[in-house]
Each structure stands twice: as C-alpha cells, then as structure tokens.
Amino acid sequence: MSLSPSAATSNVSNIPSKRRRTHSLIAQNSNNNHQDMSQSPADTAHSSQTPQAASHIPKRGARACTACRKGKNRCEGEAPCRRCQLSGTACVFEKPEKKNANVMPGASVMQSQMIGMQSSLDRILSTVQSQAYGTQHQGYSGGMTSGPSRDGSGYMSRNGYDAHGHVGGQSSQPRSQTRSFPPLPGFAPPPHKYATYGIVPSTTPSSDDESEETLPRASLNAPIEALQGLANAAAEAAAAPSASPPRVKKRPRVEPIPRNAFPHVIEKGLVSENEARELYHIFFAGCHIFIPLFDPNYDTFESLMERTPWTFDAILAIASKIRSGNGPLSSTFYKCLEEAQGISRSSLFGPIVRKEAVMGMLLLAAWSTNGWLPSGHAMRMALDLGLHRALEKLADDSGKKRTEEEERDLVVSARIWLCLYWFDHQMSLGTGRPVVLRDESSIRHCRILLSHPMASPTDVRLISQVELIAQKTQIYETLAPLNGQVNHNTLAFIRRANVALDKWWQDCDNLHRQTMDENSLPRKILVGELHYAKLWLVCVALRGVSWDKMPFEQRELAFQAKDAAFNCLSVFLNSAEYRAALRYAVHDSLVTAAFSGLFLLKMANLFPAELDLAAITAQVEQLAQLLSDVAAERYALTLRIMLANLRRKVGMIAGLSAPMTTMPAPSLNDGIVAHGPGPYVDPSGMSAPFTMEELGFAWPSERATFSPTAIPMWLQEKNLTDLGLPVNGSDGIFMDVNGMHGWSGDFAPMPGAW
C-alpha cells in the first residue's frame, strides 16, 4: 500500500500493526521523487536502477485509493489525491497480494477450515478419552509394572494404581486407616487416532457417473467418516512444514496401521516360548475346526505372535484350559486370560486399527459360557473396519489388479466376517435373543472362498455353517411368532424345511468329500448338525405345547424330533474322531449334544411305554460321562439330574434301577446341598430332592440331597410336558455355573465370562 507523505507522521498511530512495517518503507521512499508505492519490495529495488520506472502508472486494481473506492468516487490515481487532501483523510492505496502460482486456489482457506475442525475434534476426543487416572497412566508397553503376586496384594495394576487405589503403590495414610478398593481391571485404550482402517470402499468411484474429481457417495452416506478423514488431513497439514504447500487428497485412503500397543505374554516373561509353542500346537490340533477362523499355513506361531498379541494370548489361554482337562487350571491359563481380556477391555473406548483384533474378541466369545456380549462387540468392531465389504470386493471382476498383500488382506477379512456372521447368528438363535445383523448381502458371495488360491482347509466347513445358519434364521423368523400354533400351513412349512435341510447337507457333504474321507471329523460334525437342525426345527414349532393336548400331527412331529435327537447322539458317541475332538469343542457344540440327550429324556418321561428306555438311558449316561471328562460339568450335571428323575419315575423297569457310574464328589455352591434326617418336599410342588448317590456321586456324608430349586424351570416336573424350546434358549435349560443355586465345579475360581 502507499501513504500520503503529509500524513505519514500524524497518522502512524492510526495504522494497523500489520501495515506499520510497510508504512515505514513507504514514508522513506516517498521522499525520493514520490515513487509509486504499489510495487513490491523487489520492484522497488528494480526501480532504483531504472529511473524511468518512477512514472509507472499503477495497476488497474490500485488506481483508486481506499477512501475514494468506499465513496464510489473517481480518484486521480496518485498519492495524495485531491479529495483526500481536502478532507484531511489518509490517502492509502491497497495492492492485492501476489498470488503464489504453486498454491492451489482456495487451498489456504481450506487448510484453515480443516485446522479449526481438527482442533474441535481434538477437544471432543480429549474429553471422551480422559480417564480417572488421567496423567498418572504410564506408557502402554514400558509403563506396566507388576508386583510379586497376581491376587491383589502387592500387585500393581496396569493403570498405575495398587490394590488399595493408591498411585504407584504408595499411600499418604497408613493402610489400616484407608478404605481399600480392588484394582480396576484391564488396560486403557491406546492413543490411536480415529481414522479409516481396513477395507475402504471410497478409494474408487462408486459408479460410472462419478469421476475422480467428484465427491464420492460414500462420503455423503457416511458423514462422520468423512469428517474424520478431513480432520486427519488437517492434522497432517498442520504438522507439515509451513514452506510446503498443503496437499489435498482426492479420496480417503487406508490409514497405516500403528504398531501393537500391548506386548504378548512371552515378551512380558509370563510364559516361556517352549510352553507357548506347546499350547499353540494344542489349539491347532482341533480348535480351529470348531471355529474355522484360521489358515494354518498363514497363521503360524511367529506370524500370530508378531501380528496380534491379543489373538495370540487368547489362543494360549484356550489351549491351556484344554490341557488342564477336568483337573485344576494352571497359572498359565490365568495369566494368558488376564492379558487377553485386559487388551479386549481396552478396545471398548478406542479405535479399532487391525482386523486381527476381531479374531481375538471372537475367540474369547466362542469359548465363553456367556459369549453374547463379546460376540456383539466383535460384530461392531468388524463393521467399523468394513470387513462386511470384503466378499463384495473379492467378487469384483472389474479387472482391477491387486497385489498379493491386498488379496491376502481381503481373503482374511472375508473369512473373519463369515465366521463372525455365523457365530453371532448362532448365539442369537441359541439364546432366544433377536438377530442384530440382518444384512444377508454381505454373505452372498461366500462360496468364492472355496475356489480362491488362498483358501484354507477349513473354509469348506465355514461355508457350510454360514449357509446352515441362513436357513435356520428363516425357519426361526417364520415359526417363532406362531407360539406353538401348529396348523396345516405350519406342517407344510416344516416338511419343506426338512427337505431344504437335506439338500443343504447333500451339497455341503459333496464339497467335503472332495478332500476328506467319510470318517473325517468335519464330515461327522456335518451329519450331527443336520440331525440337530431337524430337532431344533420341531422344538421351535412346538414351543409352549403340552403333550396331553397334542393332536395326532403334533405327536408325529414329536417322534420325528425324537429320532433326530437319537441320531444326533449316536453321531457323538459312535464316532471315535468326534469323541476325541470334544475336548476342543466350543460351548455351542456341547449344547448340541446335551440338548439332544435332554430331549430324549423328556420323551422317555412322557411316553415310557413307547420308547426303548434302556437304550436311551444308556446313551445319555455315556454322554454325561463324556462331558464330565472334558470339564463340561454344567451340561453333564443337567443330564444326571434328568436321568435320576427318570429312574425315580420308572425305576420298576428292569435295568433302570441300577445307579449311575460313581463319580468323585464335586464342589457345590452353598444352598445347593441339603443335609437332614430325610428328603423333603419343596412347598412349590416340585419333586423330592435328589440324593448325591442318585446323581452318581460318591458323597462323603450320609443323606446329602440336591435341592430342586437349582433345577432349571424347563426341566422341573411341572414343565416336563413342554417339548418346545424355551424362550431364552439354552439359558433356560442348563445349570447356572455361577448362580445362587448353580453348579460351580471347576468353574468357581474362573472369571465370570469363562
């Protein structure tokens, strides 16, 4: 800008601070032949060498001073102009800043907007992520300290507090005078930023009418994700050197995955490498068949240990529990489980950055008695990473070339999503809870995995599970609203469903037999699932129906279900491969076997003259013994109670009066065992309590009895006429392992989720 010399001194105080340096230069040059001050400093230096440049006419944008331009008046174009001299106003000529050719138009404005948005998001995230321990929390890998024991005394928790709630294990008051609190469990979330990780759909235009310069529809449909991308771009622009121009990205790209925030148990010195390798081989001896989540050729010991300490610790915890059998659990189990569950708790309030985290959460859910909540969290984690889009991307034949790493990432993501989809639906149907995810389009191309070069040997079992759960979901949504009202339309639907189940088994068995013989474990599991699906189908249809009010058609359904349960139990007991692999099974497989036995015992109670009671009781007793051998006492004890009840009712039949095989005395919760002069009858009308001898246990004291209040409602005498599946599924059938009247067994010292 230029300033009138006559007003240079008097108006210095009125000039804004940003213009004072320019003012001093202008005042100095105005004494030298009144040169044009609309030039830049470089132009001024050039004009001192060429005097003829002093009469240079100002550019069009600077011919009017500020006062004349505001008043819409004509200006002489030289400072000071006559109008400003007459009015005594400072004659100022403004010159627009020279644009930088290297900076994109509007880039500086966009940068300032993004920086403001980033600061706002930072304030929000800092508020959300602030924890009670705040600044006292130490580093995630180097700041974890522990004392000599893990039971709370002398133990420093991971958040920097000791067992009594003091920072750093020190207290300003004597311990006897302070109120002690248990340490807070788990880890704090790692300081990862919220960004786009995993599968990103917006890296290419979503349709033919979108070009590379248009805003993708994915950003319009997901505004929060788009804002996160802008905030991250603003953070990168703010962190970049000021000399370099800001770079605006056309599309949000996959954020590079940060390093693992938590060490594994070997790195922390909790488990030796030799023991960890032993547990790894135990897991992949059978567990990966029941949860077909892994590829043994890719998920090696070294690979899992490096990629995902969470999944690695979960695998070691599961294998350690399997190694213990029905004996006491080792300290290795508790150490690995504590680490895996601690990392899982850190994922509740932090961003999910890698797909292997979903694998770790799914493993903890699959081998937990109460896996509903962790499986739901795993589902949200997978959706956050976009794993539900992996199959669609694999099926995309647009000709776009992918690297081997990108192809592997899609295959692993698709496998995780299919396994999670199956398990979450199975948990919903098995516990009577609503199905949360109903997007069947995400599994439409599931069979593409079977022909992929990176397919796993267990993918064929995974595909069969996904296709079966899709049929069971349709069956449940059709029959559950009827509440046991069986008419001709219902019977016709059940017949069609049985035909569809047979076709499913035939198709999937053909896929299995290409690489497996008839006695292989996956094919035996497939047969057992077919028979159990037919049993489950009838039990859903007969929910709430009493046997004494059944018409002929419903009685026929009940006996069809009896045959399915008998065949399902025969598969478990007659297959040596299945019996040996039951120690690796998840709880869902144990429920399949135990419910088949319970249904047979209910049918025997209702129709004792029409069934082979000796064969049924022999099968169920054999199953109860098998479940006890694999530490599944929750299901074994439930079967023993029903067996004792059947023997008491029809004990006069030859072969049924003999007691069951004697087992060692278990540990029961208080209130479940009664000691008295004789058996009592519960005032609510339940049957007399069972003695420990009737249940097959060698009890040290005489006349010890099992309280009937511990028996689930579905198995009590007044509900024996109900052959339908209870509303809450398996939760209303089997003993509560940690309840007030439940069965503890070896589960007593374990965490609640296990």
Side-chain angles (χ1 to χ4, degrees), residues 193-507:
K193 65 179 179 180
Y194 285 84
T196 301
Y197 302 94
I199 307 297
V200 182
S202 57
T203 54
T204 58
S206 59
S207 64
D208 295 337
D209 61 340
E210 287 189 44
S211 65
E212 289 295 330
E213 301 298 330
T214 60
L215 185 65
R217 289 200 185 97
S219 298
L220 300 177
N221 296 333
I224 297 179
E225 184 177 353
L227 286 176
Q228 290 176 353
L230 288 175
N232 294 329
E236 295 175 1
S242 58
S244 61
R247 186 170 66 93
V248 180
K249 296 182 179 180
K250 294 182 179 179
R251 293 287 187 265
R253 302 297 179 184
V254 179
E255 190 73 19
I257 299 178
R259 61 178 296 274
N260 286 302
F262 303 105
H264 49 73
V265 290
I266 298 179
E267 185 177 351
K268 296 187 69 173
L270 301 176
V271 179
S272 65
E273 183 176 350
N274 292 334
E275 185 180 10
R277 289 186 179 273
E278 176 191 356
L279 297 176
Y280 171 86
H281 291 301
I282 290 176
F283 182 89
F284 281 94
C287 294
H288 68 295
I289 298 178
F290 290 94
I291 297 293
L293 191 60
F294 299 94
D295 181 2
N297 297 324
Y298 174 69
D299 298 312
T300 61
F301 179 85
E302 291 78 10
S303 176
L304 287 175
M305 182 173 59
E306 178 183 357
R307 282 161 39 215
T308 167
W310 183 354
T311 304
F312 184 76
D313 294 346
I315 288 176
L316 299 188
I318 294 168
S320 179
K321 181 179 182 297
I322 293 172
R323 184 180 61 179
S324 300
N326 55 3
L329 295 167
S330 63
S331 60
T332 301
F333 166 77
Y334 291 106
K335 293 176 183 178
C336 295
L337 181 63
E338 181 184 6
E339 294 296 317
Q341 289 188 341
I343 299 176
S344 67
R345 282 188 287 267
S346 72
S347 66
L348 291 174
F349 299 101
I352 307 302
V353 301
R354 52 175 47 85
K355 57 185 177 299
E356 287 81 5
V358 184
M359 301 170 69
M361 182 60 74
L362 180 55
L363 289 180
L364 293 178
W367 271 270
S368 300
T369 306
N370 304 312
W372 166 256
L373 289 179
S375 67
H377 182 49
M379 177 66 72
R380 286 297 183 96
M381 294 165 64
L383 292 172
D384 192 45
L385 291 173
L387 302 188
H388 57 292
R389 304 188 183 100
L391 276 173
E392 183 180 356
K393 280 181 167 288
L394 274 179
D396 183 13
D397 55 354
S398 59
K400 181 181 179 181
K401 298 297 182 181
R402 290 187 289 262
T403 64
E404 182 179 357
E405 182 181 359
E406 292 174 341
E407 195 74 15
R408 172 71 69 180
D409 183 70
L410 285 177
V411 170
V412 173
S413 300
R415 185 178 295 124
I416 294 173
W417 175 254
L418 289 176
C419 193
L420 182 59
Y421 183 95
W422 156 71
F423 184 80
D424 187 74
H425 279 65
Q426 184 64 36
M427 288 295 301
S428 300
L429 299 182
T431 58
R433 294 180 172 93
V435 177
V436 178
L437 184 68
R438 297 179 177 272
D439 184 16
E440 297 181 359
S441 62
S442 62
I443 62 170
R444 183 185 304 120
H445 307 286
C446 61
R447 290 207 174 192
I448 197 174
L449 278 182
L450 300 180
S451 58
H452 199 277
M454 297 180 181
S456 169
T458 57
D459 283 345
V460 62
R461 166 162 166 74
L462 175 60
I463 300 306
S464 64
Q465 293 290 93
V466 171
E467 293 179 350
L468 175 61
I469 203 64
Q471 290 200 24
K472 292 178 70 174
T473 302
Q474 182 182 2
I475 291 172
Y476 186 84
E477 292 177 348
T478 303
L479 295 179
L482 300 179
N483 294 322
Q485 299 177 4
V486 181
N487 50 33
H488 293 290
N489 293 332
T490 306
L491 296 175
F493 176 81
I494 293 175
R495 286 192 292 267
R496 292 195 303 269
N498 278 311
V499 173
L501 290 174
D502 288 330
K503 186 179 184 303
W504 162 83
W505 174 81
Q506 188 66 46
D507 293 342

Side-chain angles (χ1 to χ4, degrees), residues 95-123:
K95 176 180 179 294
E97 296 181 0
K98 186 177 181 180
K99 294 184 178 179
N100 189 354
N102 297 327
V103 181
M104 296 178 58
S108 59
V109 178
M110 183 178 296
Q111 179 182 7
S112 62
Q113 292 176 349
M114 290 191 296
I115 293 175
M117 187 183 302
Q118 172 67 23
S119 61
S120 301
L121 288 176
D122 287 341
R123 289 195 299 270

Side-chain angles (χ1 to χ4, degrees), residues 505-523:
W505 174 81
Q506 188 66 46
D507 293 342
C508 294
D509 189 64
N510 291 335
L511 295 175
H512 281 71
R513 71 174 60 189
Q514 296 176 7
T515 56
M516 307 174 190
D517 57 27
E518 186 177 0
N519 294 323
S520 62
L521 177 61
R523 291 187 68 180

